């Protein structure tokens, strides 16, 4: 077969174009390798086609820090790695950073575009290495070892790997269970073991590695305190952290602060930051690994955690949460106190309404209830100094409890304090022709007359850790007030507004 001149020229042109395309593509590839490429161009060794990791220093204090030393250490060993110091507001005194390190201020400014203060626009690598203040990088390959460990998990539940600072004993592996419905986070010790301990939270001095995509899928990716913020969010997602025995990261600056005064300032900031973080997360109670408790909700000196209740449905039920634990604690304290006063004064009382339901079901307050109800005999009121003179005004007793005649009707109320209006209501009844009745009634369906024989005799029953008194046939009493099956079929006070989802 003979090839014509035109065919030969056309074939030559095609070959020439292919050669030009090949060399242009090769030149572009070499240029991208020199300039760092991007997160999608990373090579097998971690820095042939650009860095895979951004080093982030989040936890440092303005009044004393070693941010410059940390940046110098990492950039000396790995100059190709982006280094980012992250602060909530512009540090004062100003940070002096070496070439290659940058400062990111998270607080927005009116003269800056929104992306200027959003970390996801400043971190373009595949991984983020979060380091504490004062840490140094001695072995350049330590970072690759962490990457290898995380990649070896294959996208399973382990989404974070960590290495200790100085020694394995400087950081503790913990189990963390977060119960948002009960506003509570519970920490417990994890089984101590060798390298590769897997748990759900860390406490102590450690460097952590996380995929950038995972970090920025958290609602608060860089909150402070960092470990508290990070592990509350990751535990809710079912993620785990692997704590390695090595590599260990070096630290010249331990202890981190050079004076007791600066340590005090850091501790004060930590306490304040923890309170703000937990409030934003809706956590009011921490159970610590040593069994101690920390409370971040209301107290005797502060208002209660919820406002005026509308339609018998407190606001927290609409959030699919139950009564904050600090409120339950205050209700228990007030109940025990009031019961003691009534008993020592010779006032006959009994657990009423939903309070009796809680006693039968849980020997405690119903987990979503917001007050406690006690019935009392009207004729016994003169026996109690706290009640007999309450026709007008109120009484603040020696322990700070407020006794008053309720403005909503003909009954009495005992508040936890002048600031905190969590309360126990006392409902006066009197017998008439063998029936317990009263002169004023509420719109609650359980506020009805009942035979006095339920109170003859009153019987002891366990409630909130004490022995209280209730009707002698609590099941019949409750079914009279709430309907058949009231004990076995729990429901919120006003199902028309919010129903209890028993599947959760």
């Amino acid at each position: 077969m003979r090839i014509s001149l035109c065919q030969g020229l056309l074939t030559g042109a095609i070959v020439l174009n292919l050669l030009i395309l090949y060399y242009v593509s090769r030149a572009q590839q070499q240029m991208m390798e020199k300039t760092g490429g991007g997160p999608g161009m990373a090579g097998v060794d971690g820095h042939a086609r650009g860095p895979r990791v951004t080093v982030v220093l989040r936890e440092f204090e303005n009044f004393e820090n070693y941010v410059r030393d940390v940046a110098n250490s990492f950039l000396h060993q790995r100059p190709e790695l982006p280094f980012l110091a992250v602060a909530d507001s512009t540090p004062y005194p100003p940070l002096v950073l070496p070439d290659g390190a940058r400062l990111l201020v998270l607080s927005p400014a009116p003269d800056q575009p929104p992306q200027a203060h959003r970390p996801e626009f400043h971190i373009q690598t595949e991984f983020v290495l979060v380091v504490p203040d004062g840490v140094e990088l001695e072995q350049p390959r330590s970072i690759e070892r962490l990457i290898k460990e995380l990649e070896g998990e294959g996208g399973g539940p382990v989404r974070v790997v960590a290495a200790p600072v100085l020694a394995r004993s400087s950081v503790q592996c913990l189990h963390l269970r977060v119960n948002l419905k009960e506003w509570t986070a519970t920490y417990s010790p994890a089984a101590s073991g060798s390298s590769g301990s897997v748990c759900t939270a860390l406490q102590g001095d450690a460097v952590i590695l996380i995929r950038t995509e995972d970090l920025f899928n958290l609602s608060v990716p860089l909150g402070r305190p960092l470990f508290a913020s990070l592990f509350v969010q990751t535990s809710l997602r079912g993620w785990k952290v692997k704590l390695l025995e090595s590599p260990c990261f070096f630290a010249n600056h331990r202890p981190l602060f050079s004076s007791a005064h600066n340590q005090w300032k850091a501790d004060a900031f930590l306490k304040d930051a923890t309170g703000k973080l937990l409030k934003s997360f809706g956590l009011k109670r921490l159970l610590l690994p040593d069994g101690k408790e920390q409370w971040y909700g209301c107290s005797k000196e502060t208002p209660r955690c919820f406002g005026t209740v509308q339609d018998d449905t407190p606001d927290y039920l609409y959030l699919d949460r139950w009564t904050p634990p600090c409120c339950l604690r205050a209700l228990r304290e007030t109940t025990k106190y009031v019961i003691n006063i009534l008993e020592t004064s010779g006032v006959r009382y009994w657990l009423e309404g939903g309070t009796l339901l809680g006693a039968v079901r849980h020997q405690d307050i119903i987990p979503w209830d917001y007050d406690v109800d006690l019935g009392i005999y009207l004729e016994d009121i003169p026996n109690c100094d706290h009640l007999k003179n309450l026709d007008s005004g109120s009484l603040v007793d020696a322990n700070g409890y407020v006794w008053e005649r309720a403005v909503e009707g003909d009954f009495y109320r005992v508040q936890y304090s002048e600031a905190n209006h969590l309360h126990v209501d006392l409902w006066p009844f009197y017998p008439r022709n063998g029936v317990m009745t009263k002169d004023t009634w509420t719109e609650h369906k359980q506020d009805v007359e009942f035979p006095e024989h339920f109170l003859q005799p009153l019987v002891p029953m366990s409630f909130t850790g004490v022995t209280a008194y209730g009707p002698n046939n609590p099941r019949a009493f409750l079914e009279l007030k709430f309907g058949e099956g009231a004990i076995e079929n729990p429901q919120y006070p006003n199902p028309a507004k919010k129903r209890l989802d028993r599947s959760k």
Side-chain angles (χ1 to χ4, degrees):
M1 178 180 176
R2 299 184 63 182
I3 298 175
S4 68
L5 178 62
C6 290
Q7 289 174 324
L9 291 174
L10 179 60
T11 301
I14 291 172
V15 171
L16 180 61
N17 283 330
L18 288 173
L19 287 171
I20 292 172
L21 181 62
Y22 169 77
Y23 283 109
V24 169
S25 175
R26 184 71 181 271
Q28 288 177 335
Q29 182 178 358
Q30 291 174 347
M31 182 175 295
M32 291 188 71
E33 289 175 355
K34 290 180 180 179
T35 58
M41 300 299 295
V44 174
D45 62 359
H47 43 111
R49 295 188 180 181
R52 301 183 71 187
V53 180
T54 297
V55 182
V56 170
L57 176 52
R58 178 66 175 110
E59 297 272 18
F60 64 90
E61 306 300 342
N62 293 346
F63 51 83
E64 183 177 3
N65 64 70
Y66 303 95
V67 176
R68 182 179 176 85
D69 292 349
V70 178
N72 277 325
S73 170
F74 277 82
L75 293 174
H76 175 72
Q77 297 286 358
R78 298 292 299 272
E80 82 284 1
L81 296 184
F83 187 98
L84 199 62
V86 180
D88 291 311
S89 57
T90 303
Y92 178 81
L95 287 179
V96 179
L97 296 175
D99 292 340
R102 294 180 296 127
L103 172 67
L104 170 61
V105 176
L106 298 179
S107 300
D111 60 336
Q112 296 291 323
Q115 60 267 30
H117 306 280
R118 292 171 57 181
E120 62 267 31
F121 287 98
H122 296 261
I123 299 176
Q124 299 299 314
T125 54
E126 186 179 354
F127 300 95
V128 176
L129 186 78
V130 184
V131 301
D133 194 10
V135 168
E136 299 175 19
L137 179 64
E138 284 196 319
Q139 301 295 328
R141 302 297 296 179
S142 296
I143 297 174
E144 273 64 39
R145 290 179 63 186
L146 293 177
I147 292 175
K148 183 178 179 181
E149 284 286 347
L150 188 54
E151 289 183 324
E153 294 299 327
V158 173
R159 300 293 189 97
V160 182
V161 295
V165 174
L166 295 180
R168 173 67 170 79
S169 59
S170 66
V171 59
Q172 184 181 10
C173 222
L174 302 173
H175 289 309
L176 170 60
R177 184 176 63 87
V178 180
N179 188 330
L180 292 178
K181 184 180 287 290
E182 297 180 7
W183 313 74
T184 298
T186 303
Y187 292 88
S188 58
S192 59
S194 59
S195 180
S197 299
V198 174
C199 49
T200 50
L202 299 177
Q203 182 180 40
D205 218 359
V207 170
I208 64 171
L209 181 81
I210 185 171
R211 288 182 176 84
T212 304
E213 179 182 12
D214 284 343
L215 180 64
F216 292 120
N217 273 331
L218 302 177
S219 58
V220 186
L222 292 172
R224 290 189 72 185
L226 184 64
F227 277 13
S229 173
L230 178 69
F231 293 121
V232 164
Q233 296 175 87
T234 56
S235 66
L236 285 169
R237 289 160 173 79
W239 299 357
K240 297 183 183 297
V241 53
K242 177 186 279 190
L243 177 61
L244 307 176
E245 187 77 29
S246 63
C248 289
F249 284 76
F250 186 67
N252 261 329
H253 306 289
R254 291 296 185 276
L256 191 58
F257 301 102
S258 59
S259 69
H261 178 68
N262 279 357
Q263 183 64 60
W264 172 82
K265 288 171 66 176
D267 291 342
F269 171 82
L270 176 64
K271 182 178 180 180
D272 181 64
T274 301
K276 291 178 179 177
L277 176 78
L278 296 181
K279 182 179 180 180
S280 70
F281 283 176
L283 293 173
K284 298 180 181 295
R285 181 189 182 210
L286 295 188
L287 295 173
L288 303 179
D290 59 5
K292 295 180 180 177
E293 293 178 303
Q294 290 181 352
W295 295 85
Y296 295 92
C298 60
S299 68
K300 215 171 179 71
E301 291 73 36
T302 64
R304 69 185 186 185
C305 295
F306 56 94
T308 302
V309 177
Q310 305 287 336
D311 300 318
D312 295 326
T313 309
D315 57 8
Y316 50 78
L317 292 184
Y318 292 109
L319 302 174
D320 288 322
R321 296 193 176 204
W322 289 349
T323 311
C326 48
C327 298
L328 289 173
R329 180 179 65 167
L331 283 173
R332 293 185 188 107
E333 290 179 11
T334 308
T335 300
K336 294 174 185 178
Y337 183 77
V338 171
I339 285 175
N340 182 62
I341 294 290
L342 296 178
E343 290 182 350
T344 56
S345 301
V347 176
R348 290 166 290 174
Y349 73 90
W350 60 95
L351 304 179
E352 257 289 351
T355 301
L356 181 61
L357 265 176
V360 173
R361 286 191 197 136
H362 316 283
Q363 295 77 55
D364 202 347
I365 299 166
I366 292 176
W368 52 81
D369 211 350
Y370 52 88
D371 64 4
V372 168
D373 294 313
L374 301 178
I376 60 173
Y377 270 87
L378 178 64
E379 63 189 87
D380 291 345
I381 288 177
N383 297 339
C384 180
D385 291 338
H386 293 76
L387 294 175
K388 64 183 180 182
N389 296 317
L390 286 181
D391 288 336
S392 61
S394 61
L395 165 70
V396 182
D397 68 20
N399 294 293
Y401 294 91
V402 181
W403 299 69
E404 63 182 6
R405 196 176 187 90
V407 297
E408 298 96 324
D410 189 18
F411 64 98
Y412 298 92
R413 176 164 288 166
V414 185
Q415 296 178 166
Y416 186 46
S417 70
E418 290 184 276
N420 191 327
H421 294 174
L422 288 160
H423 56 266
V424 172
D425 286 335
L426 305 177
W427 301 92
F429 284 82
Y430 60 89
R432 185 174 61 192
N433 299 324
V435 174
M436 297 301 291
T437 188
K438 52 194 180 82
D439 294 329
T440 59
W441 301 91
T442 68
E443 296 179 357
H444 299 132
K445 65 178 181 179
Q446 69 268 25
D447 192 21
V448 295
E449 296 179 330
F450 59 91
E452 189 181 11
H453 67 71
F454 282 112
L455 310 180
Q456 296 176 337
L458 292 165
V459 297
M461 55 196 316
S462 180
F463 184 66
T464 67
V466 299
T467 299
Y469 285 92
N472 53 55
N473 189 341
R475 174 176 291 277
F477 186 88
L478 289 169
E479 292 191 343
L480 170 68
K481 296 219 166 194
F482 292 98
E484 187 176 354
I487 296 173
E488 293 80 14
N489 299 292
Q491 190 50 261
Y492 288 154
N494 189 345
K497 294 294 181 180
K498 179 68 177 177
R499 294 189 63 84
L500 174 63
D501 184 354
R502 300 178 197 172
S503 65
K504 294 183 179 180

